[in-house]
């Protein structure tokens, strides 16, 4: 029986669980499936009850009896209450199975009909609980679910602990949750079965908090706000949801530099001990909450003379996590600081900021506090804030610079110089650099409502277009307005035409038009004496020419590298450094490409250029993947994807590259999912360029997964897309070898050869040596499929050596694998050891598994083709080439799987080919083909 206690959480709550809890949930499920128990622990609001309910709902179906209790603080003084919750509904079923003394003691404890205490009936009660669980377990598995163990009444806790320690192999499992701080769960673990798994729920990451809020309907929150919610909540899901709700209910968002509104529910939760502080201690904590990095020295400098004693008092109450003699003042939870600040009157807040504006040693911190202590406009305060923003920008903190810039604009008089909107636009540009595109777009749109100066309007339009990212089709209406605002000013026109060049590429998918637009932009910028825009245009032109396989690409890169240079352009992801990296990578100069992108990544991290960091992290992963460092590539790609999800930048591109890395060194199913995600992003954005890359990644993952037909479908579409786009350099996506191999596997060697011939022509023209080697590997598979095994063996041996010299470790290993498969069943070495060694060196786990499977399937002995009899050869004359090869291998005794491996085709293709062979030869089975090999025709 199952005691219905409504464990099952409605389906709407389950998505909350999978956000950031996948691994621990799986671990708990596995533990329960093994017959073990689970103890969930963590601080208040961390999500223990949600996980507990979901686990109970998932695993409860496997148990015959489910018992549940949920304690509360207000009832923790009532003895045996939890025991009554657990056994109350099953007492009638088990009472007659207990000895009389145990039954009497348990009934008295559960019903209150007679006095029962642990002191008087201790042993009888303990044994009664143990016997009750054993009696229930004799009828089937028992699951005991207990939430909030910390509030369990002491009598029930003692009895359950006694039973849990003595259950042994009895099929009784405990699924419990307890509120703890740090690792204080030992005493609860000691009262659990010996095989209990303790699972701590940790704070959610920023991306997970964002996903949780999106799921609950708090969507479209700016990245800066999401970052502040995560910081203030400490990653606690309950706190984050409450903060999100407060923001949703607030008519106006907090101004720059101001903390989030803290709802009353959370203030009461974290400030219940605040009333126990003295007034002076409370003022000291307010100053600490207003500071960015509070310390005792800072508090002294801000006029808090008794800071040591007052912070010690707060620490004793659990408000601070600091030792009285320690230099740092750290709140026990960020929410305490936020709630304390929100609780304080505005006048007291300004007083705290005024004290910190002179006490802080950092000029940025002094300026921020000065702004928050000042009301109204003040040109001197605005100037100091603008200087602090510039300093933050130089330090590589563009997000801080954006916040300070907005404060500067707020304090700038309407007719000040520079104007308030100039400072707002600078803040918007800083926000773009920091990856806070929502904030940047909102600022620019606000400025456009009142700006009349053409240069100011073009600057705002640039921010709007930049904030659109890959979704340039969504801002099509902007371009005519921007061109009209630019008039005939070449400098302003260059800025607009640079964005139009990107639109030609991304929205229209026209490389030739994009290249022409970029060249026109460079000319306009040169006429307008705008070196930065000229360099960006030349870099874009060079990148486009590189991808097109245009002969002018090297010359354009040299033009973009001429002095004078611009440091910003040099390290921007669309700048000359990036263009040079692409050229090096596509030209097989892997060591130089790696050193170039590593230096660029280091610089953009120093500058805080988040968007460029996302792209360069991905570029470095791609370089490592080409070099055959699959483990390193996978780590970098996953990190890039995490950063992309967190910032909302480059999601499709990062998913695409991570798919390639997963297919090579990780999980093939995840590779397939990521490739489809990348393709969906590109489709939504109307981005034809990245759609082809995503489909190429999908085709590669399908090939690795053994779905040759699926790979052919995806990669044929890539071929069509890139032909339409005008992309001719095969080093751009390197999908052609995969398509040729997949075509061979599905029995289309002629089309495979056509792909190879067309691609080879471009690769020879551009001297793409690694592409040529991969094409030769694919052609060897075509030769093998057509029966020319000796030529295939010779070519594969040469290919493996060439790829090794070029430094393409993974492609070298794939050539060794193809060579081993081709040699299977033939005289000479047949070992897969070399391929396994090379894949192991690359940490190419999916490929290594394929090698192991092929080696296991290889027959220990095969019969040479030369032993075929003349009658058999005569009988095969009427068959097509592929049919003859398949029939001949059946005559040798090869299985369908071995035939597929030998001929580089799929098992399904082998089966279809055999069906045609049976029909043409008038036979019914493989046995009849073997009879042909012995010279006996089946009738």
């Amino acid at each position: 029986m199952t005691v219905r206690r409504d464990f099952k959480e409605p389906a709407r709550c389950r998505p909350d669980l999978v956000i950031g809890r996948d691994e621990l949930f799986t671990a708990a499920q596995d533990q329960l499936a093994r017959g073990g128990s689970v103890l969930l622990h963590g601080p208040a609001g961390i999500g223990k009850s949600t996980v507990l309910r979901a686990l109970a709902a998932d695993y409860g179906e496997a148990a015959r009896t489910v018992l549940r209790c949920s304690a509360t603080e207000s009832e923790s003084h009532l003895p045996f209450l939890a025991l009554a919750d657990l056994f109350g509904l099953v007492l009638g079923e088990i009472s007659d199975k207990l000895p009389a003394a145990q039954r009497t003691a348990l009934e008295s404890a559960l019903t209150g009909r007679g006095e029962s205490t642990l002191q008087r009936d201790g042993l009888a009660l303990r044994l009664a609980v143990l016997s009750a669980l054993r009696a229930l377990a004799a009828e089937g598995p028992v699951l005991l679910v207990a939430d909030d163990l910390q509030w369990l009444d002491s009598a029930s806790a003692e009895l359950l602990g006694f039973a849990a320690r003595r259950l042994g192999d009895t099929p009784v499992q405990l699924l419990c949750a307890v509120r703890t701080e740090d690792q204080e769960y030992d005493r609860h673990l000691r009262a659990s079965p010996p095989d209990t798994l303790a699972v701590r729920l940790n704070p959610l990451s920023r991306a997970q908090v964002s996903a949780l809020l999106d799921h609950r309907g708090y969507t479209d929150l700016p990245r800066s706000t999401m970052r502040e919610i995560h910081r203030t909540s400490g990653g606690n899901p309950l706190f984050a949801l409450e903060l999100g709700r407060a923001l949703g209910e607030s008519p106006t968002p907090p101004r720059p530099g101001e903390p989030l509104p803290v709802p009353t529910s959370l203030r009461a939760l974290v400030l219940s001990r605040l009333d126990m502080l003295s007034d002076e201690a409370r003022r000291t904590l307010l100053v600490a909450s207003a500071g960015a990095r509070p310390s005792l020295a800072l508090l002294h400098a801000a006029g808090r003379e008794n800071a040591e004693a007052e912070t010690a008092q707060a620490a004793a109450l659990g408000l601070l996590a600091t030792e009285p003699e320690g230099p740092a003042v750290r709140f026990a939870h960020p929410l305490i600081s936020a709630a304390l600040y929100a609780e304080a009157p505005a006048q007291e807040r300004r007083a705290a900021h005024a004290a910190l504006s002179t006490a802080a040693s950092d000029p940025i911190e002094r300026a921020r506090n000065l702004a928050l202590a000042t009301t109204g406009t003040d040109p001197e305060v605005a100037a100091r804030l603008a200087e602090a923003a510039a300093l933050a920008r130089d330090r590589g903190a563009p997000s801080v610079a954006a916040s300070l810039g907005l404060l500067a604009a707020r304090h700038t008089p309407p007719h000040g110089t520079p104007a308030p909107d100039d400072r707002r636009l600078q803040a918007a540009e800083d926000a773009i650099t920091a990856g806070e595109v929502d904030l940047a777009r909102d600022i620019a749109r606000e400025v456009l409502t009142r700006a009349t100066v053409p240069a100011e309007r073009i600057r705002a339009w640039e921010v709007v277009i930049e904030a659109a990212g890959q979704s340039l089709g969504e801002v099509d209406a902007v371009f005519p307005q921007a061109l009209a605002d630019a008039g005939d000013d070449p400098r302003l026109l260059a800025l607009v035409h640079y964005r139009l060049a990107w639109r030609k590429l991304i929205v229209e998918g026209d490389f030739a038009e994009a290249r022409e637009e970029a060249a026109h932009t460079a000319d306009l910028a040169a006429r307008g004496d705008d070196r930065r825009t000229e360099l960006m245009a030349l870099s874009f032109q060079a990148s486009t020419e590189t991808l097109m396989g245009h002969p002018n690409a090297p010359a354009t890169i040299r033009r973009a590298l001429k002095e004078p240079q611009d440091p910003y352009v040099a390290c921007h992801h669309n700048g000359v450094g990036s263009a040079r990296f692409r050229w090096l990578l596509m030209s097989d100069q892997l060591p130089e490409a790696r050193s170039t992108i590593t230096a660029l990544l280091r610089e953009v991290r120093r500058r805080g250029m988040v968007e460029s960091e996302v792209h360069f992290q991905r570029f470095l992963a791609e370089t490592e993947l080409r070099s055959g460092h699959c483990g390193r590539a996978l780590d970098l790609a996953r990190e890039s994807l995490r950063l992309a999800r967190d910032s909302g930048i480059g999601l499709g591109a990062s998913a695409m590259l991570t798919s390639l890395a997963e297919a090579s060194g990780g999980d093939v199913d995840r590779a397939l999912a990521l490739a489809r995600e990348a393709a969906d992003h590109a489709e939504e954005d109307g981005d034809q360029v990245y759609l082809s890359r995503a489909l190429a990644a999908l085709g590669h993952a399908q090939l690795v997964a053994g779905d040759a037909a699926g790979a052919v479908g995806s990669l044929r579409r890539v071929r069509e897309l890139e032909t339409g786009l005008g992309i001719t350099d095969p080093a751009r996506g390197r999908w052609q070898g995969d398509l040729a191999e997949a075509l061979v596997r599905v029995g289309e060697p002629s089309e495979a050869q056509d792909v190879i011939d067309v691609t080879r022509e471009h690769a020879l023209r551009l001297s793409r040596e690694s592409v040529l080697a991969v094409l030769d590997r694919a052609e060897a598979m075509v030769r093998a499929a057509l029966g020319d095994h000796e030529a295939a063996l010779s070519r594969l041996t040469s290919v493996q050596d060439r790829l090794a010299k070029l430094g393409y470790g993974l492609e070298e290993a794939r050539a060794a694998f193809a060579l081993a498969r081709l040699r299977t069943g033939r005289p000479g070495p047949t070992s897969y050891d070399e391929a396994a060694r090379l894949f192991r060196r690359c940490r190419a786990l999916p490929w290594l598994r394929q090698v192991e499977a092929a080696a296991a399937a290889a027959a220990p002995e095969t019969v040479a083709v030369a032993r075929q009899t003349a009658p058999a050869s005569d009988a095969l004359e009427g068959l097509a080439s592929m049919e003859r090869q398949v029939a001949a291998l059946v005559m040798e005794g090869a299985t369908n799987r071995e035939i597929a491996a030998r001929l580089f085709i799929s098992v399904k293709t082998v089966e279809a080919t055999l069906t045609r062979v049976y029909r043409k030869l008038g036979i019914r089975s493989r046995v009849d083909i073997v009879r042909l090999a012995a010279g006996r025709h089946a009738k």
Side-chain angles (χ1 to χ4, degrees):
M1 65 176 277
T2 296
V3 178
R4 297 194 178 278
R5 302 291 263 174
D6 193 23
F7 312 106
K8 295 186 178 181
E9 186 68 7
R12 63 179 176 80
C13 289
R14 295 305 307 283
D16 295 353
L17 168 69
V18 300
I19 298 171
R21 303 302 188 201
D22 304 57
E23 291 185 11
L24 69 85
F25 188 70
T26 300
Q29 280 182 315
D30 292 344
Q31 172 73 357
L32 291 170
R34 288 192 295 266
S37 297
V38 174
L39 175 67
L40 305 169
H41 66 99
I46 203 67
K48 302 181 297 300
S49 296
T50 301
V51 176
L52 184 83
R53 287 192 294 268
L55 284 170
D58 275 9
Y59 191 70
E61 299 295 333
R64 178 184 180 274
T65 305
V66 182
L67 308 174
R68 182 176 187 272
C69 68
S70 184
T72 62
E73 184 177 12
S74 62
E75 298 171 338
S76 61
H77 66 287
L78 299 174
F80 306 121
L81 182 62
L83 207 64
D85 280 345
L86 290 169
F87 293 106
L89 295 181
V90 295
L91 184 59
E93 178 188 352
I94 60 174
S95 61
D96 60 348
K97 300 177 183 178
L98 304 180
Q102 294 180 23
R103 181 171 62 249
T104 300
L106 185 59
E107 287 178 346
S108 296
L110 298 187
T111 63
R113 294 195 300 268
E115 183 181 356
S116 180
T117 66
L118 281 178
Q119 287 73 25
R120 193 182 72 182
D121 302 319
L123 182 58
L125 271 173
R126 288 173 172 82
L127 292 175
V129 172
L130 181 59
S131 298
L133 290 172
R134 284 174 174 165
L136 289 169
E139 303 297 325
V142 176
L143 178 65
L144 190 155
V145 184
D147 199 0
D148 285 320
L149 280 186
Q150 73 278 2
W151 304 131
L152 217 64
D153 64 272
S154 58
S156 296
E158 167 63 26
L159 293 170
L160 289 173
F162 175 87
R165 292 190 294 271
R166 289 164 176 79
L167 285 169
D169 295 332
T170 306
V172 176
Q173 296 169 265
L174 273 66
L175 173 58
C176 306
V178 60
R179 181 187 301 179
T180 58
E181 297 297 335
D182 300 322
Q183 300 295 316
E184 300 169 2
Y185 62 91
D186 288 350
R187 66 185 179 91
H188 299 287
L189 198 58
R190 287 194 294 271
S192 302
D195 61 348
T196 299
L197 172 69
V199 178
R200 179 168 180 80
L201 276 70
N202 291 314
L204 300 179
S205 69
R206 189 192 306 171
Q208 291 162 353
V209 166
S210 177
L212 175 62
L213 289 168
D214 281 346
H215 170 66
R216 287 298 185 90
Y218 304 118
T219 56
D220 300 325
L221 292 172
R223 181 169 176 259
S224 55
T225 302
M226 191 60 66
R227 183 179 62 241
E228 191 62 22
I229 288 176
H230 181 257
R231 187 196 67 79
T232 303
S233 69
N236 184 297
L238 172 65
F239 296 172
L241 286 169
E242 286 295 296
L243 290 168
R245 182 181 61 79
L247 278 169
E249 294 174 355
S250 176
T252 57
R255 293 188 297 182
E258 290 184 345
L260 298 176
V262 179
T264 304
S265 58
L266 291 185
R267 293 191 200 184
L269 179 65
V270 300
L271 297 180
S272 57
R273 289 159 288 185
L274 197 62
D275 291 338
M276 301 174 68
L277 284 176
S278 67
D279 290 343
E280 289 301 311
R282 187 165 178 159
R283 290 191 186 95
T284 295
L285 286 196
L286 177 59
V287 174
S289 71
R293 292 177 296 277
S295 65
L296 289 173
L298 179 64
L299 293 175
H300 278 298
R304 307 311 302 166
E305 297 177 357
N306 298 316
E308 286 89 350
E310 289 159 357
T311 55
Q313 182 187 357
L317 292 171
L319 295 166
L320 294 179
T322 180
E323 295 298 327
E325 65 274 10
V329 175
R330 183 168 61 87
F331 284 89
H333 192 281
L335 191 61
I336 296 175
S337 173
L340 177 66
Y341 188 92
E343 192 82 0
Q347 185 176 354
E348 290 186 16
R349 292 188 207 171
R350 286 196 296 272
H353 286 298
L356 289 170
S357 68
T358 57
S361 58
D362 185 79
I364 291 177
E365 187 63 10
R366 287 199 302 271
R368 185 185 74 87
N369 279 290
L370 178 61
L372 296 173
T374 306
T375 58
T377 60
D378 187 320
E380 183 179 344
V381 171
R384 285 184 58 181
L385 284 163
E387 291 169 3
L391 181 58
R393 198 175 304 119
D394 291 342
R395 288 182 181 178
S399 180
V400 175
S403 177
L404 291 168
L406 288 175
L407 284 171
R410 195 173 104 200
H411 290 285
T412 301
H415 302 294
T417 304
D421 280 347
D422 284 339
R423 285 176 166 153
R424 288 189 181 91
L425 288 173
Q426 179 62 65
E429 290 161 359
D430 287 328
I432 285 285
T433 302
E436 297 179 10
V437 293
D438 293 336
L439 174 62
R441 181 184 57 246
D442 292 345
I443 295 170
R445 290 288 189 186
E446 180 196 349
V447 169
L448 283 166
T449 61
R450 54 180 172 266
T452 56
V453 178
E456 197 173 80
R457 292 186 62 80
I458 294 297
R459 193 177 175 189
W461 287 128
E462 276 200 287
V463 171
V464 172
I465 296 168
E466 183 77 14
Q470 300 293 107
S471 306
L472 284 178
E474 296 179 2
V475 291
D476 267 349
V478 165
F479 291 103
Q481 299 176 65
L483 285 170
D485 286 335
D488 57 1
D489 186 327
R491 188 183 185 94
L492 299 181
L493 284 170
L495 296 172
V496 181
H497 279 278
Y498 176 71
R499 305 293 172 179
L500 282 169
W502 277 102
R503 187 192 174 283
K504 293 283 186 184
L505 181 64
I506 292 174
V507 179
E508 298 181 16
D510 193 326
F511 272 70
E513 285 291 327
R515 174 183 175 271
E516 291 298 323
E517 193 71 66
H520 179 51
T521 299
D523 291 341
L524 285 169
R527 284 166 47 200
D529 198 25
D530 181 356
R531 181 61 173 165
R532 172 173 290 190
T533 303
E534 182 185 7
L535 288 171
M536 291 294 288
L538 288 171
S539 300
F540 177 76
Q541 181 183 343
S543 295
T544 307
E545 290 172 347
T546 298
L547 296 175
M548 293 172 65
H550 196 285
N552 287 0
T556 307
I557 290 176
R558 287 193 294 271
R559 280 182 64 196
L561 287 169
K562 284 183 179 179
E563 296 295 338
Q565 283 295 309
D566 183 299
Y568 173 82
V569 177
C571 66
H572 192 273
H573 58 278
N574 290 323
V576 64
S578 181
R580 181 172 178 271
F581 160 76
R582 287 191 185 91
W583 174 257
L584 290 169
L585 190 67
M586 294 172 68
S587 301
D588 299 323
Q589 300 179 58
L590 295 181
E592 294 86 348
R594 182 184 292 106
S595 61
T596 298
I597 199 62
T598 301
L600 288 169
L601 183 57
R602 188 184 306 116
E603 179 62 15
V604 297
R605 281 175 173 164
R606 187 188 71 80
R607 290 171 171 262
M609 298 169 67
V610 174
E611 184 173 6
S612 294
E613 182 181 354
V614 171
H615 291 293
F616 290 160
Q617 186 93 4
R618 187 177 76 252
F619 292 168
L620 181 56
E622 184 176 2
T623 307
E624 297 295 353
L625 193 58
R626 298 262 179 102
S627 303
H629 303 153
C630 298
R632 170 70 172 150
L634 185 58
D635 290 342
L636 288 165
R638 286 173 174 172
E639 187 178 340
S640 171
L641 185 58
R642 282 194 295 270
L643 184 58
R645 292 197 195 285
D646 187 24
S647 63
I649 295 170
L651 272 174
S654 293
M656 174 273 298
L657 197 279
T658 309
S659 170
L660 291 172
E662 290 283 358
S664 299
D667 181 270
V668 179
D669 288 337
R670 180 163 169 75
L672 291 165
L674 285 168
R676 292 187 176 103
E677 177 187 337
D680 289 343
H681 276 295
E683 294 271 23
E684 289 171 10
D685 293 342
D687 185 346
Q688 299 294 298
V689 177
Y690 264 110
L691 179 59
S692 70
R693 294 295 307 271
L695 290 172
L698 178 58
H700 179 74
Q702 289 167 323
L703 184 65
V704 177
D707 181 9
V712 167
S714 298
L715 296 174
R716 276 175 174 163
R717 190 176 173 199
V718 176
R719 192 182 189 191
E720 294 170 3
L721 279 169
E722 294 205 351
T723 300
L725 289 168
I727 299 173
T728 60
D729 193 334
R732 185 245 182 183
R734 296 176 181 265
W735 49 266
Q736 295 85 354
D738 284 347
L739 175 56
E741 181 176 339
L743 285 165
V744 171
R745 291 191 187 184
V746 299
E748 298 287 351
S750 298
E751 185 181 346
Q753 188 63 55
D754 177 65
V755 171
I756 292 166
D757 291 341
V758 172
T759 307
R760 182 178 282 130
E761 181 181 348
H762 294 299
L764 285 168
R765 174 174 60 85
L766 298 166
S767 301
R768 301 301 191 225
E769 293 299 326
S770 64
V771 174
L772 289 167
V774 169
L775 291 174
D776 284 349
R777 184 185 68 206
E779 189 165 36
M781 297 178 186
V782 174
R783 296 284 179 88
L786 297 175
D788 192 352
H789 288 264
E790 296 306 320
L793 285 168
S794 174
R795 180 159 297 197
L796 280 173
T797 303
S798 169
V799 164
Q800 184 180 343
D801 182 59
R802 286 157 59 196
L803 288 168
K805 289 178 180 177
L806 288 167
Y808 284 77
L810 183 58
E811 299 293 356
E812 175 195 357
R814 287 180 65 179
F817 187 23
L819 196 57
R821 292 168 74 178
L822 195 58
R823 283 174 173 162
T824 301
R826 298 179 61 82
T830 61
S831 173
Y832 285 89
D833 290 348
E834 173 69 1
R837 181 186 69 82
L838 292 173
F839 281 130
R840 196 173 290 112
R841 183 185 68 183
C842 295
R843 280 183 58 192
L845 301 182
W847 288 104
L848 187 59
R849 285 190 284 270
Q850 286 194 39
V851 172
E852 292 168 348
E861 294 182 16
T862 56
V863 182
V865 178
R867 292 180 59 187
Q868 296 177 23
T869 61
S873 299
D874 293 342
L876 303 184
E877 282 301 317
L879 301 179
S881 172
M882 177 67 73
E883 294 165 351
R884 282 200 306 274
Q885 292 178 72
V886 170
L889 289 170
V890 170
M891 290 175 179
E892 293 179 20
T895 66
N896 285 2
R897 186 175 294 278
E898 291 164 359
I899 294 169
R902 291 272 298 278
L903 299 182
F904 301 99
I905 59 179
S906 68
V907 173
K908 287 185 178 180
T909 302
V910 174
E911 294 168 349
T913 304
L914 279 174
T915 300
R916 293 195 301 271
V917 169
Y918 298 156
R919 186 174 63 250
K920 288 184 178 182
L921 296 182
I923 59 178
R924 297 180 180 180
S925 69
R926 296 170 62 92
V927 174
D928 293 334
I929 296 180
V930 174
R931 287 173 180 165
L932 283 176
R936 297 190 302 274
H937 291 274
K939 301 297 182 183

